[in-house]
Amino acid sequence: MHDQEAAVTSVTAEDYRLPTSVTPERYEIRLSPDLRSFTFAGEETVAITVHQPTAEIVLNAIELEIDRAVVERGERRLTATAVELDPTNERARLRFGETLAAGSWRLTIAFRGILNDKLHGFYRSQYKDSAGQIHRVAATQFEATDARRAFPCWDEPALKASFKVSLVIDDDLTAISNTAIERERRLGDGRKEIVFKETIRMSSYLAAIVVGEFEATEAVDVGGAPLRIVHVPGKRPLTNWAREIGAFSLKFFSDYYAIKYPGDKLDLIAIPDFASGAMENLGAITFRETALLVDEKSASRSELERVADVVSHENAHMWFGDLVTMKWWNGLWLNEAFATFMEMLAVDAWKPQWQRWVSFGVSRAAAMAVDALHSTRPIEYTVRAASEAGGMFDILTYEKGAAVLRMLEQYLGAEEFRKGISLYLRKHQYANAETTDLWDALEESSGQPVRKLMDSWIFQPGFPIVSVRPASGGRGLMLSQRRFAYLPENQPNTQLWRVPVMVKVRTDGGVSTHKILLNETEATLEVPGRIEWALVNQGGHGFYRSRYAPELLDALTSALAELAPIERFALVNDTWAAVVAGLTPLGEFLKMARLFRDETDLNVWRALLAAFNYLDMVIEDAARPALQARVRELLAAAAARLEWTPQRGEDELQSQLRAIILGALGTLGADGDCRDRARELYANYGRDASSVERNLVPALISILAYNGGEAEYREFKENFKAARNPQEEQRYLFSLASFRRLELLRATMDMTLSDEVRTQNAPYLMHSLLNNTICREEAWRFLKRNWDKMIERYPENSIPRMCEGIIALVTLEDEVREFFATHKVKQGGKTIDQHLERLRVAVAFRSREGANLERELKG
Ligand SMILES: [Zn+2]
């Protein structure tokens, strides 16, 4: 059932893959970056193997000038007679006029390039120190296909080679690369040469170079590898947290995989400008500052969790991704899904009290929200040109992929699963593998038909909804599956999955658990005794939604206390999804929500509030007061119970819950008392930061912004500029998009194109503005007007993410559709179609429920 796209006949493999006649074995690269002129000069000698005699060598290069290319073998030395650069295919063709015989050769190329400002390839970044002085940094970001901007190379993941890097830099600068420094010498002209040790065999996208005024923490030894946090001067106090989780997770993974860390050292490096969250360069992982540097004392739990997540994720890649790599970009999902899965596992082992797998429910639900679209794609998806790889870094690759792996792990058993992973890594280390290689290893370790089970999840788009009703005769349950989609199908869908269903049942004989593999449309689960209630998807690990016959739903909602938090979460989330799909009346959901007023779990509340936020997005302005009243009613009991100050002995989940309940009450609920109290507390916080519990601070900021005027706006903007740590900077920056006064929001719009906001953040600020119901129409017009500027200015990978903001433009659907019909987004993959379909879903919901909404909310 491999969902292959029809081959485009005019495109041949040659158009998007390098010829295989010549492959690299070892690169020796010497680069001299100049941080004043933003240029660099380079020379490389590559040990190559010529497999078939050829008179030309084709490799990847873009934005590089090639001055000279020579091949040598023993006494033979040939200089390229022609160097053709092909910017469209990002290649260089070196012609030698004579045929190179098969065997080993050395290729030497001299070249020049630029330190660009697009946060990819070899790029520049800058920051101001506390005295206001500007400092410059040069850094690399190569995944997926930008190593070719730094040096000519065979820039495909399967063409692994070792790298030996040397850098010539100013005497007063520091440089970091994948490996430890072998030697360093002064050149006497104000510059020095640093030579790094040779790397293991790895893909070109994993090479890394960072140059600037960096400082490093003292190394912690983790199983023989020194681990450091590297940062620009002055940020040492923000490194402890990352050092702890960095050391913990590295040790955790070497135990889990039962393989030693493959590098000779590990630096975790915070870069002032960074396009994504982090990048798993072997031994030199780069991060945006918010994902690595954090003040443990003032950060909220979710800010701390973000650092723990990202550090663990990248460390997991050192084996899964770096030591063993996908053959081609269609296998990217396995790298990313697996690292996401491992990130949860490590963080859960580090802080079990965080209940990381329960909060993963939120990510699973977000993936389902995309995967319920007709414009979704299978997890593993055909990637022909490498340039299409950029479209693969999405929620389906990461979150759906991780959720499906978690489902498999739970089905096989944690230890069987671990053994299979370890086997897979040992078999393919220093080389490349495909998805089926993992299934083979898991089948070998578990003795189960893993491939058959997983094919239906990996190669099919979408996921099923499992419906359950009492079996006729009252002897158990009837389970059935069909594809879940928000919008009606054009034709009947006959897709089937092999669904490992876990069912928890209470009968007069007590509570029991049943496991059934649902691989047909319907199956009967026999349960002895009279069923009091039944819950499908016990433990919440399954990547499917559940739907209950009315009598089963009634029974289940009267037994909420007997369900685990993740099961209550799934019940709320599944019911809400059915409402959005038009399968369940809104009134039923609102009635059910009332049963959760005494709910104590953070993530269940997140699911409830997500539904009310959605209503806030689609509702007519006139109905908003009714929505606000309903939110106040829903939250009243929880807010009264939690109060504004920490209670003796409470855990962190409770203080986080307080923050989201009070935050929602003061914004979505527009509660006046809540607003006044928040103002009072925020004023105290200004005088004494320790007077407010740290999880509550972001909630106070959001309430003040929501209700604030010019004075608050000015203050928050100042705080953004004077922030003491990356998290504070983020909080205040994004608060500027959640005010409710148009003239203030216009000022924020202007900031998205000014130098006040880094291009790594500006697209996300724009996203927030598109979601703000006060300014969304105007933000959309602003975006249209400035589209070309944005495309030119923002990192390429952030454009599809910025555009996600359009899902809130419920009054502008036609206009939005028209715009994207003529403005294609590079690297968007299917994501723009998905955003447009989500908008369609919201508009359909609005027109279906619109007239009744106000009445329903008052009911
Ligand atoms: Zn990753």
Side-chain angles (χ1 to χ4, degrees):
M1 277 189 297
H2 196 155
D3 184 55
Q4 289 285 7
E5 278 189 34
V8 180
T9 45
S10 63
V11 177
T12 65
E14 210 168 275
D15 290 329
Y16 51 91
R17 296 287 276 270
L18 290 173
T20 51
S21 49
V22 179
T23 55
E25 306 301 330
R26 177 178 188 268
Y27 293 85
E28 221 173 284
I29 303 168
R30 182 182 152 105
L31 295 171
S32 314
D34 181 344
L35 273 56
R36 282 170 296 268
S37 65
F38 300 133
T39 58
F40 62 90
E43 187 174 275
E44 65 180 358
T45 298
V46 192
I48 55 174
T49 302
V50 175
H51 301 278
Q52 287 102 35
T54 176
E56 58 174 42
I57 295 177
V58 180
L59 71 176
N60 293 114
I62 179 76
E63 287 180 354
L64 294 175
E65 298 294 329
I66 294 182
D67 296 322
R68 185 168 43 88
V70 176
V71 279
E72 288 167 280
R73 178 189 205 185
E75 299 289 288
R76 237 176 131 209
R77 187 167 192 282
L78 298 170
T79 302
T81 51
V83 174
E84 290 163 21
L85 296 172
D86 169 4
T88 311
N89 292 309
E90 307 185 348
R91 285 176 190 176
R93 188 178 294 269
L94 315 174
R95 296 191 196 275
F96 293 96
E98 281 178 62
T99 301
L100 314 181
S104 304
W105 290 79
R106 282 156 51 84
L107 167 67
T108 300
I109 304 178
F111 54 95
R112 284 166 294 132
I114 52 162
L115 297 172
N116 68 69
D117 61 355
K118 299 295 185 300
L119 316 193
H120 65 189
F122 202 3
Y123 71 91
R124 63 197 195 233
S125 161
Q126 58 182 38
Y127 62 95
K128 266 188 207 158
D129 63 20
S130 51
Q133 205 189 329
I134 288 177
H135 300 261
R136 285 165 176 174
V137 167
T140 56
Q141 165 60 40
F142 290 164
E143 194 180 20
T145 57
D146 291 310
R148 61 190 68 171
R149 292 175 198 277
F151 49 88
C153 56
W154 283 259
D155 205 8
E156 295 185 1
L159 299 173
K160 284 193 171 185
S162 64
F163 293 80
K164 188 162 176 56
V165 172
S166 321
L167 292 170
V168 175
I169 57 172
D170 286 359
D171 274 337
D172 54 350
L173 297 180
T174 304
I176 302 123
S177 187
N178 302 88
T179 45
I181 292 175
E182 187 178 274
R183 59 178 195 274
E184 192 173 326
R185 69 181 172 108
R186 302 240 162 180
L187 299 178
D189 59 355
R191 296 185 306 162
K192 61 185 174 188
E193 182 192 49
I194 300 178
V195 181
F196 295 91
K197 292 186 175 164
E198 188 164 336
T199 68
I200 62 168
R201 275 177 73 80
M202 63 180 199
S203 306
S204 52
Y205 79 89
L206 293 168
I209 295 157
V210 177
V211 178
E213 293 163 63
F214 284 95
E215 290 177 356
T217 59
E218 208 129 301
V220 217
D221 181 277
V222 188
L227 175 126
R228 307 183 302 171
I229 311 298
V230 180
H231 53 88
V232 299
K235 306 214 167 172
R236 175 69 53 90
L238 305 177
T239 56
N240 281 340
W241 187 258
R243 219 157 78 115
E244 268 183 46
I245 180 61
F248 177 88
S249 58
L250 202 66
K251 169 82 173 56
F252 178 87
F253 295 135
S254 61
D255 292 345
Y256 185 95
Y257 300 132
I259 298 173
K260 198 173 141 286
Y261 167 67
D264 66 347
K265 58 95 184 171
L266 179 56
D267 288 323
L268 311 182
I269 312 157
I271 312 281
D273 292 283
F274 200 78
S276 59
M279 176 62 213
E280 68 266 25
N281 315 302
L282 181 71
I285 306 175
T286 43
F287 294 77
R288 68 165 58 199
E289 291 191 332
T290 41
L292 187 67
L293 304 177
V294 65
D295 173 21
E296 289 166 272
K297 289 182 195 66
S298 69
S300 70
R301 195 183 77 89
S302 46
E303 288 163 345
L304 292 169
E305 188 176 282
R306 157 118 164 115
V307 172
D309 282 356
V310 181
V311 169
S312 301
H313 178 106
E314 302 310 322
N315 278 354
H317 272 311
M318 297 300 106
W319 291 261
F320 215 104
D322 292 8
L323 183 62
V324 178
T325 313
M326 69 262 152
K327 279 198 175 127
W328 183 244
W329 296 108
N330 62 322
L332 177 76
W333 83 269
L334 193 56
N335 263 12
E336 293 305 348
F338 199 82
T340 306
F341 168 84
M342 288 307 294
E343 138 201 350
M344 299 297 145
L345 215 54
V347 173
D348 190 49
W350 190 45
K351 302 272 181 204
Q353 68 274 27
W354 283 4
Q355 299 180 29
R356 196 62 190 82
W357 281 114
V358 180
S359 55
F360 180 68
V362 176
S363 308
R364 185 188 290 108
M368 284 182 170
V370 172
D371 207 26
L373 303 170
H374 298 301
S375 53
T376 187
R377 62 168 176 86
I379 291 180
E380 184 161 331
Y381 188 57
T382 311
V383 175
R384 275 187 305 258
S387 59
E388 292 167 14
M392 297 288 284
F393 292 84
D394 67 0
I395 197 162
L396 298 168
T397 288
Y398 285 73
E399 277 78 15
K400 182 182 178 184
V404 163
L405 288 174
R406 175 66 167 170
M407 180 166 69
L408 177 64
E409 184 223 23
Q410 293 292 303
Y411 184 74
L412 296 180
E415 182 54 19
E416 297 299 300
F417 185 81
R418 190 198 65 75
K419 279 192 203 147
I421 299 301
S422 177
L423 181 65
Y424 164 84
L425 289 172
R426 265 177 286 130
K427 262 190 182 166
H428 303 284
Q429 56 187 342
Y430 307 105
N432 298 74
E434 288 181 292
T435 302
T436 51
D437 295 322
L438 179 63
W439 305 153
D440 289 346
L442 284 165
E443 289 196 350
E444 196 177 325
S445 75
S446 72
Q448 299 262 6
V450 174
R451 182 189 296 228
K452 220 165 159 188
L453 177 75
M454 292 308 281
D455 276 357
S456 70
W457 296 95
I458 303 302
F459 296 120
Q460 287 195 107
F463 63 90
I465 182 165
V466 174
S467 298
V468 53
R469 61 179 195 273
S472 51
R475 299 289 300 170
L477 299 166
M478 179 64 87
L479 302 171
S480 62
Q481 61 161 310
R482 69 176 172 107
R483 183 168 171 182
F484 177 79
Y486 289 128
L487 297 174
E489 309 269 352
N490 292 330
Q491 55 213 34
N493 188 292
T494 55
Q495 265 178 262
L496 289 177
W497 285 261
R498 298 178 82 85
V499 195
V501 183
M502 306 285 285
V503 187
K504 185 156 89 177
V505 185
R506 177 181 276 288
T507 60
D508 31 19
V511 175
S512 55
T513 296
H514 308 260
K515 194 164 157 179
I516 177 172
L517 190 67
L518 176 62
N519 50 16
E520 300 295 333
T521 311
E522 277 197 332
T524 310
L525 177 68
E526 294 207 16
V527 182
R530 193 182 60 77
I531 294 174
E532 288 175 20
W533 55 258
L535 174 103
V536 173
N537 201 1
Q538 185 206 16
H541 305 296
F543 196 82
Y544 57 87
R545 294 200 179 281
S546 314
R547 188 156 182 244
Y548 298 90
E551 61 269 40
L552 288 175
L553 185 63
D554 281 346
L556 195 58
T557 48
S558 7
L560 290 178
E562 293 184 69
L563 308 185
I566 185 73
E567 294 162 354
R568 296 199 298 277
F569 172 89
L571 180 62
V572 171
N573 186 249
D574 289 352
T575 309
W576 174 249
V579 172
V580 176
L583 301 173
T584 298
L586 175 63
E588 223 168 275
F589 176 83
L590 293 172
K591 200 174 82 193
M592 190 175 102
R594 278 213 170 104
L595 302 173
F596 285 86
R597 276 181 298 197
D598 297 318
E599 175 61 55
T600 54
D601 183 77
L602 171 67
N603 295 298
V604 179
W605 272 111
R606 281 183 170 147
L608 288 161
L609 289 170
F612 284 91
N613 275 311
Y614 195 89
L615 287 173
D616 188 53
M617 174 179 91
V618 298
I619 208 165
E620 302 275 353
D621 288 336
R624 193 157 280 115
L627 175 64
Q628 292 167 339
R630 188 69 184 237
V631 169
R632 288 196 294 273
E633 183 209 309
L634 177 69
L635 297 177
R641 193 182 69 244
L642 290 161
E643 301 180 322
W644 286 82
T645 43
Q647 287 148 28
R648 191 188 290 276
E650 74 175 16
D651 61 20
E652 269 203 282
L653 293 179
Q654 172 131 339
S655 79
Q656 224 185 339
L657 175 60
R658 172 181 303 109
I660 73 158
I661 295 286
L662 296 174
L665 191 59
T667 56
L668 197 56
D671 184 272
D673 291 343
C674 179
R675 177 198 60 212
D676 295 345
R677 191 67 204 278
R679 282 186 176 147
E680 200 181 301
L681 282 181
Y682 187 79
N684 295 343
Y685 171 76
R687 286 186 288 273
D688 170 13
S690 69
S691 69
V692 176
E693 195 273 317
R694 60 186 176 162
N695 281 310
L696 199 54
V697 178
L700 297 182
I701 293 172
S702 72
I703 297 170
L704 263 72
Y706 190 90
N707 295 285
E710 216 181 315
E712 285 86 0
Y713 188 91
R714 260 206 313 272
E715 183 185 341
F716 286 5
K717 191 167 170 182
E718 275 314 303
N719 291 349
F720 154 62
K721 289 186 171 167
R724 289 160 296 188
N725 56 63
Q727 288 71 25
E728 208 176 79
E729 187 180 332
Q730 290 278 302
R731 288 175 189 176
Y732 286 112
L733 172 60
F734 285 92
S735 79
L736 302 179
S738 56
F739 279 73
R740 311 280 296 168
R741 298 215 192 152
L742 204 48
E743 70 278 11
L744 301 174
L745 294 165
R746 282 187 192 127
T748 309
M749 278 175 219
D750 289 336
M751 285 173 72
T752 62
L753 289 170
S754 77
D755 288 335
E756 287 172 300
V757 180
R758 289 182 186 277
T759 58
Q760 67 167 2
N761 295 326
Y764 302 97
L765 190 62
M766 193 63 219
H767 178 287
S768 301
L769 289 162
L770 289 166
N771 281 338
N772 185 323
T773 54
I774 297 295
C775 70
R776 55 188 167 185
E777 281 90 2
E778 204 162 306
W780 168 247
R781 264 170 250 132
F782 181 89
L783 178 139
K784 279 209 310 190
R785 225 174 24 250
N786 293 291
W787 180 255
D788 293 342
K789 248 183 253 172
M790 289 175 177
I791 297 288
E792 165 63 25
R793 189 178 170 92
Y794 298 161
E796 220 168 60
N797 70 334
S798 69
I799 302 290
R801 289 179 186 138
M802 172 177 79
C803 292
E804 194 198 6
I806 66 167
I807 67 175
L809 301 177
V810 288
T811 57
L812 297 170
E813 191 192 4
D814 292 343
E815 197 181 317
V816 172
R817 231 166 243 292
E818 248 165 61
F819 180 80
F820 285 106
T822 50
H823 296 75
K824 295 291 171 205
V825 175
K826 203 179 161 198
Q827 293 214 342
K830 298 197 86 169
T831 50
I832 300 296
D833 288 344
Q834 290 160 4
H835 301 334
L836 288 170
E837 190 179 340
R838 289 174 82 180
L839 174 58
R840 178 89 284 275
V841 172
V843 172
F845 181 89
R846 182 179 158 102
S847 58
R848 193 171 62 237
E849 302 284 352
N852 309 328
L853 253 175
E854 200 168 347
R855 191 169 39 79
E856 292 281 10
L857 287 164
K858 286 178 175 162

